[in-house]
Amino acid sequence: MRRGARPWSRTKRSRCMVTISADIIRTIRDPEKPSTLEELEVVTESCVEVHEIGEDEYLVIIRFTPTVPHCSLATLIGLCLRIKLQRCLPFKHKLEIYISEGAHSTEEDINKQINDKERVAAAMENPNLREIVEQCVTEPD
């Protein structure tokens, strides 16, 4: 750090991490529609929270809103969010992904699934599911 410079405040660092996280998820494509999750307002920058939990370690919380309360692809969308963030976040992090409260008829069950490391790993071992996730998270050319 240069002489006389003040270190970034926690708030400024957290805001920067929110922007980085939101930029990563904004381009994820919807599994059914030719739109991104951001275009469908499933994710926005305001759905991202970042909290410093240690020295250079952050808790990233995403709360997404499926387009309809009975969306059959909500678990898949959560899986896409998790995979893309795990691959792309450039800082040490813990990740929690939730459906926005009251936004889905089975939100509790889906929240458990997308935050369970063993279930996520098992899902990604399924070649058909893995191919769909890859199509959704791959950046457009």
Side-chain angles (χ1 to χ4, degrees):
M1 186 181 323
R2 67 183 164 84
R3 182 178 239 162
R6 292 189 352 222
W8 276 24
S9 69
R10 281 186 168 188
T11 304
K12 191 172 185 175
R13 276 195 308 260
S14 292
R15 279 197 311 263
C16 180
M17 300 307 173
V18 165
T19 301
I20 290 168
S21 302
D23 285 346
I24 290 168
I25 63 175
R26 77 178 67 245
T27 59
I28 297 173
R29 286 188 289 285
D30 184 84
E32 283 185 324
K33 300 177 173 113
S35 304
T36 66
L37 297 182
E38 183 182 52
E39 290 167 346
L40 296 170
E41 297 182 359
V42 172
V43 295
T44 62
E45 189 165 327
S46 65
C47 80
V48 180
E49 292 177 40
V50 177
H51 304 280
E52 192 169 3
I53 56 174
E55 189 172 326
D56 296 324
E57 184 175 10
Y58 299 87
L59 171 62
V60 178
I61 302 170
I62 308 292
R63 297 182 197 284
F64 71 100
T65 305
T67 54
V68 292
H70 54 277
C71 177
S72 62
L73 298 173
T75 305
L76 179 57
I77 291 168
L79 182 60
C80 290
L81 290 166
R82 176 169 294 283
I83 296 303
K84 181 105 184 231
L85 287 164
Q86 284 176 338
R87 289 179 182 172
C88 298
L89 281 174
F91 52 86
K92 189 173 176 184
H93 63 277
K94 291 185 179 179
L95 190 55
E96 294 179 6
I97 299 175
Y98 303 104
I99 291 179
S100 300
E101 193 171 331
H104 197 277
S105 55
T106 61
E107 70 187 70
E108 286 182 31
D109 292 334
I110 294 172
N111 287 341
K112 285 180 190 174
Q113 287 179 346
I114 59 180
N115 287 295
D116 183 313
K117 289 180 185 177
E118 290 175 9
R119 288 183 183 184
V120 168
M124 291 305 290
E125 288 176 9
N126 177 320
N128 296 329
L129 195 52
R130 186 174 56 243
E131 183 179 345
I132 294 169
V133 169
E134 292 299 339
Q135 289 171 1
C136 293
V137 303
T138 301
E139 292 291 326
D141 291 335

